[in-house]
């Protein structure tokens, strides 16, 4: 027996930024990252392997939470620099024809009209393959770049996101599907009775509308969301077509997370099949299990040699300076954050060194393609669905090939993932199974 | 004797929206306006012909100034729909290697940090070929989509734009050119001491900085501007590197250019660093008579064209032109939108203005390629520079070919325009002569 078919997606950690740059197999990653070629190669490889989508992660500031200055972040190119993902998304759409492209855009940085317009254009130009990874921004530094003194409080950000989402959807729906008449004989390009103002006046946002472009192939983009907090999950359960679960540790927690989201969806009146929950993982693939274990041991050794590299992320996401915490004493439960609450909760009780040894994602996957395919099969049988989101902070072309030309064919042989796209539109493929 | 070498640009009027659709030679463009192919074909042709830049015009609303309704705008596709030009730009950049791509973005719609970030990413991805056409927004309907009741007063919009430009330039300069060190041995990507917060607090905008990405190939985008009012001209003299100008005769052109250059000197700038390009809609055909016939057809008013023109004037000025008699002189008009346009209308008969609603510049550029090239030569000898910006609201691929493969080769034979790009960056080519 094997699991039902499940979905694969890629989480572009570090966004449109520097990937692997000073290791074996980095190529010239430190120099040529602003040319989008690595990302184009990634998108084309993922399409070859029939992935559902590629998320381009983003944040818009140079962090300085660790050590109180930007030095360590800039020296290691951790979480910065990042170029604008809305510039990369069209490039990727042009290089591909089937895969979903999902840029990350923040509701605390955009006005809803601008965001609705950009996404509508991308969906038109990609032929209906655009998604929006909805984030609320967690850092004060990002807020300060946009002229605010500090970031909006965690739960209030989600209230804003609710309203933002409502308004953006109204704008996407402001042109009826048949508004464009293209009646050359009578000289009617569009029928104005089928284009509607939205006249939205909310607590945080207002807009007259309509959008100044007709409905795009998907109408609304595919919505992805990663909120792990209670408020975040509630938002995701009501809006998302796909949820990124990056914080569950172990199969039991994955199952619990999925059950929790499904319960919320049912309460909100949404069918549970309408949202695909994908679990973050970072498989370490080798020719043999032994070779893969050796690679993983090297990763851990590197992490322990450079503890600050791992703590930079934890500091940035929480706003807490972990440079002052001893490496071998448990992180106390007195720390709190206005940022990524779930992530911090997982670190509490572990020593920083222990935290660094953890895998990126839900379950550690180390082995040959066959071994990992079998493991994914088992996990999905237990969890029930809906698939995995592959992520790797130290991305290089060799890793892309190991996944798309090694692991994925093994999954395909087991009938676990798709071997071809059935539909032209991203959402239709996502909801197909 | 002939004129010095001059520059060529293309003003992509009606932005990323429908072009020819009820005209001969519209081809498949009618139903495919939301796909990038037409603009991509244009960009490739322009590069073949050695143009400096393609400027994508933009506005962000479905207007309703004329008759208080969307009807005429949607029926005739007047200045709407328009997709987002920042999404089109990456497609154009990917399809070309030397052409400058200029994107229109409004200082009353973007936050400076977001705009600075997008331009930086575009300049990286294009390897130094991006420009920004600075507009301040003019129609109240645009402001209403962004949650404001109406546009800011005309002159104040330029005060805001001054501050906006000051802040964005600081953000573009936030990373020293040598901040990225890429020291593989010591593991240093960038030097934190060479990346500076901007701590900008103006009257309208605030940002901490630094930008979240390194300096781009050009450092900052080439600044393009079209303001014709006194305040607009002052702004242009301060910031613009290329100016979109509209004038009918060589005398008017010379007077305009001389004034711009004098103002640039007053602002402490080298006047040769501001290239004034004049809008022109050449009509080139196999014979002079053919071209004249096409001009006559273009100047023939039909009921559709009257409606189109009235709706268009209404949007640009914010004044409902349905209130005026077609055959009587217009009264003095007060506009918070395009002031210079409204001022120029006073005392003129509306019907006469409407015949030219879709034509730009002089009607002298009509004839065979040889004839038009000769007239352009004469004009430039008299004006002194700096070239022309081709514009045609309803162009087809056939028109693109007539210009790029008919007119331009004739200009090149006369030694008037470039036959190859000397530099990699847009700005360097623009300033090469």
């Amino acid at each position: 027996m094997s699991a039902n078919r499940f979905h694969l997606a890629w989480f572009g950690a570090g966004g449109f930024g520097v990937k692997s740059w000073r290791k074996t197999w980095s190529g010239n990653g430190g120099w040529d990252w602003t040319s989008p070629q690595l990302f184009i190669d990634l998108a084309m490889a993922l399409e070859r392997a029939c992935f559902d989508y590629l998320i381009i992660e983003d944040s818009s500031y140079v962090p300085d939470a660790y050590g109180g200055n930007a030095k360590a972040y800039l020296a290691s190119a951790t979480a910065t620099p990042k170029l604008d993902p809305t510039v990369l998304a069209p490039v990727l759409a042009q290089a591909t024809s089937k895969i979903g492209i999902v840029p990350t855009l923040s509701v605390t940085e955009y006005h809803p009209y601008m965001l609705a317009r950009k996404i509508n254009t991308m969906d038109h130009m990609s032929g209906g393959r655009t998604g929006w990874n909805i984030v609320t921004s967690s850092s004060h530094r990002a807020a300060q770049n946009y002229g605010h003194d500090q970031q909006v409080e965690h739960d209030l950000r989600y209230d804003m996101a609710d309203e933002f989402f409502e308004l953006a959807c109204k704008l996407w729906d402001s042109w009826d599907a048949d508004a464009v008449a293209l009646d050359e004989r009578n000289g009617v390009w569009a029928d104005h009775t089928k284009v509607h103002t939205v006249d939205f006046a909310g607590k945080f946002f207002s807009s007259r509308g309509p959008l100044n472009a007709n409905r795009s192939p998907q109408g609304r983009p595919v919505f992805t969301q990663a909120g792990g907090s209670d408020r975040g999950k509630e938002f995701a359960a009501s809006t998302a077509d796909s949820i990124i679960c990056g914080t569950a540790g172990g199969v039991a927690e994955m199952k619990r997370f999925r059950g929790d989201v499904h319960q919320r969806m049912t309460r909100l009146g949404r069918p549970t099949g309408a949202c695909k929950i994908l679990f973050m993982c970072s498989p370490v693939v080798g020719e043999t299990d032994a070779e893969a274990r050796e690679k993983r041991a090297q990763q851990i050794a590197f992490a322990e040699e450079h503890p600050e590299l791992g703590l930079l992320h934890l500091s940035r996401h929480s706003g807490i300076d972990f440079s002052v915490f001893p490496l071998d004493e448990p992180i106390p439960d007195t720390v709190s954050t206005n940022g990524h609450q779930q992530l911090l909760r997982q670190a509490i009780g572990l020593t920083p060194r222990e935290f660094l040894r953890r895998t990126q994602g839900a379950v550690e996957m180390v082995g040959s393609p066959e071994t990992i395919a079998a493991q994914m099969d088992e996990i999905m049988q237990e969890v029930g669905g809906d698939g995995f989101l592959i992520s790797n902070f130290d991305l290089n072309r060799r890793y892309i090939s190991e996944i798309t030309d090694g692991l994925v064919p093994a999954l395909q042989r087991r009938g676990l993932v798709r071997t071809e796209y059935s539909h032209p539109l991203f959402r239709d493929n996502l909801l197909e199974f | 004797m002939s004129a010095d070498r001059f520059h060529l640009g293309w003003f992509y009027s009606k932005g990323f929206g429908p072009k020819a659709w009820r005209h001969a030679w519209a081809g498949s463009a009618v139903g495919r306006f939301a796909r990038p192919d037409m603009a991509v074909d244009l960009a490739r042709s322009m590069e073949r012909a050695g143009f400096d830049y393609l400027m994508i015009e933009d506005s962000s609303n479905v207007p309703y100034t004329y008759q208080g309704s969307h009807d005429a705008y949607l029926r005739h596709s007047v200045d709407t729909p328009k997709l987002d030009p920042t999404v089109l730009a990456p497609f154009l950049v990917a399809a070309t290697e030397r052409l400058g791509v200029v994107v229109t973005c409004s200082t009353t719609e973007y936050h400076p940090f977001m705009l600075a970030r997008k331009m930086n990413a575009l300049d990286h991805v294009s390897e130094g070929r991006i420009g920004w056409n600075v507009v301040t927004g003019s129609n109240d309907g645009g402001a209403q989509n962004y949650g404001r009741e109406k546009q800011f007063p005309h002159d104040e919009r330029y005060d805001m734009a001054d501050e906006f430009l000051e802040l964005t330039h600081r953000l573009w300069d936030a990373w020293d050119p040598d901040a990225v060190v890429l020291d593989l041995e010591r593991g240093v990507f960038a030097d934190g001491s060479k990346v500076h917060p901007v701590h900008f607090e103006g009257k309208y905008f605030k940002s901490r900085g630094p930008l979240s990405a390194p300096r781009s190939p050009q450092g900052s985008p080439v600044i393009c501007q079209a303001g014709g009012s006194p305040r607009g001209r002052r702004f242009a003299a301060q910031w613009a590197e290329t100016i979109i100008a509209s004038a009918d005769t060589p005398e008017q052109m010379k007077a305009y250019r001389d004034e711009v250059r004098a103002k640039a000197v007053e602002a402490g700038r080298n006047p040769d660093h501001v290239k004034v390009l004049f809008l022109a809609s050449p009509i080139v055909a196999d014979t002079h008579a053919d071209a004249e016939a096409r001009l006559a057809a273009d100047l023939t008013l039909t009921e559709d064209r009257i409606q189109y023109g009235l709706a268009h004037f209404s949007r640009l000025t914010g004044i409902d032109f349905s209130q005026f008699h077609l055959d009587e002189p217009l009264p003095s008009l007060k506009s918070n939108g395009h002031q210079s346009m409204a001022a120029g209308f006073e005392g003129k008969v509306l019907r006469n203005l409407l015949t030219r609603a879709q034509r730009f510049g002089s009607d002298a550029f009509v004839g065979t390629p040889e004839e038009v090239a000769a007239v352009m030569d004469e004009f430039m000898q008299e004006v002194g520079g700096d070239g022309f910006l081709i514009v045609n609201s309803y162009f087809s691929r056939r028109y693109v070919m007539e210009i790029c493969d008919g007119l331009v080769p004739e200009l090149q034979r006369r030694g008037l325009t470039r036959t190859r790009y000397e530099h990699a960056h847009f700005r360097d080519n623009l300033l090469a002569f």
Side-chain angles (χ1 to χ4, degrees), chain A residues 407-418:
Chain A
L407 175 59
V408 172
L411 291 169
Q412 287 172 331
R413 280 194 291 275
R414 290 168 176 259
L416 293 171
V417 296
R418 71 160 58 86

Side-chain angles (χ1 to χ4, degrees), chain A residues 16 18 21-22 30-31 33-34 36 58-62 64 74-75 77 80-87 90-91 94 109-111 113-114 117-118 120-122 124-125 127 141 144-147 149 175 182-185 187-190 192 195 197 206-214, chain B residues 16 18 21-22 30-31 33-36 58-62 64 69-71 74-75 77 80-88 90-91 94 109-111 113-114 117-118 120-122 124-125 144-147 175 182 184-185 187-190 192 195 206-214:
Chain A
F16 187 2
V18 183
W21 67 281
R22 55 181 294 239
W31 284 266
W33 64 279
T34 55
D58 190 42
S59 62
S60 61
Y61 61 99
V62 176
D64 58 2
L74 288 166
T80 197
K82 286 180 192 168
L83 303 187
D84 194 305
T86 68
V87 174
V91 173
Q94 189 176 27
E109 295 174 4
Y110 277 85
H111 186 279
Y113 189 87
M114 181 174 283
R117 200 177 168 217
K118 284 191 199 303
N120 167 279
T121 301
M122 285 183 209
H124 272 298
M125 298 186 75
R141 286 289 177 254
Q144 286 158 1
N145 283 339
Y146 284 92
D149 290 333
W175 288 56
L182 283 179
D183 178 347
E184 298 189 59
R185 252 192 22 191
V188 181
W189 194 85
H192 81 112
V195 179
T197 59
S206 60
S207 183
R208 178 187 184 273
L211 206 62
N212 68 327
N214 50 305
Chain B
F16 184 8
W21 70 282
R22 289 185 78 199
V30 182
F33 90 94
R35 305 309 298 271
D58 189 43
S59 62
S60 62
N61 64 313
V62 177
Y64 62 99
S69 163
H70 294 148
D71 186 12
L74 289 167
R75 175 182 299 270
S77 174
T80 200
K82 287 180 191 166
L83 303 189
D84 193 306
T86 66
V87 180
L88 178 59
F91 280 81
E109 295 176 3
Y110 278 87
H111 186 278
F113 189 87
M114 182 175 284
R117 205 177 165 220
K118 287 195 198 300
N120 169 278
L122 285 167
H124 273 298
V125 168
Q144 285 155 4
N145 285 338
Y146 285 90
W175 288 56
L182 284 174
L184 294 181
E185 296 275 296
V188 181
F189 176 81
V195 178
K206 198 170 140 183
S207 182
R208 180 189 185 274
L211 203 63
S212 49

Side-chain angles (χ1 to χ4, degrees), chain A residues 171-249:
Chain A
L171 288 165
W172 285 315
D173 296 344
S174 63
W175 288 56
D176 294 349
D178 59 349
V180 177
L182 283 179
D183 178 347
E184 298 189 59
R185 252 192 22 191
N186 298 308
V188 181
W189 194 85
D191 178 349
H192 81 112
T193 65
K194 294 178 174 170
V195 179
H196 315 283
T197 59
V198 304
D199 297 313
F200 186 93
K203 194 169 156 198
F204 307 102
F205 306 106
S206 60
S207 183
R208 178 187 184 273
L211 206 62
N212 68 327
N214 50 305
R215 193 177 173 82
S216 69
Q218 293 188 114
R220 302 176 181 188
V222 168
F223 301 110
T224 70
Q225 224 275 327
S229 68
D230 192 54
R231 184 67 183 86
K233 265 190 271 192
E234 192 68 11
F235 177 75
S238 70
T239 61
D241 295 300
S242 186
I243 290 178
I244 304 161
C245 179
T247 50

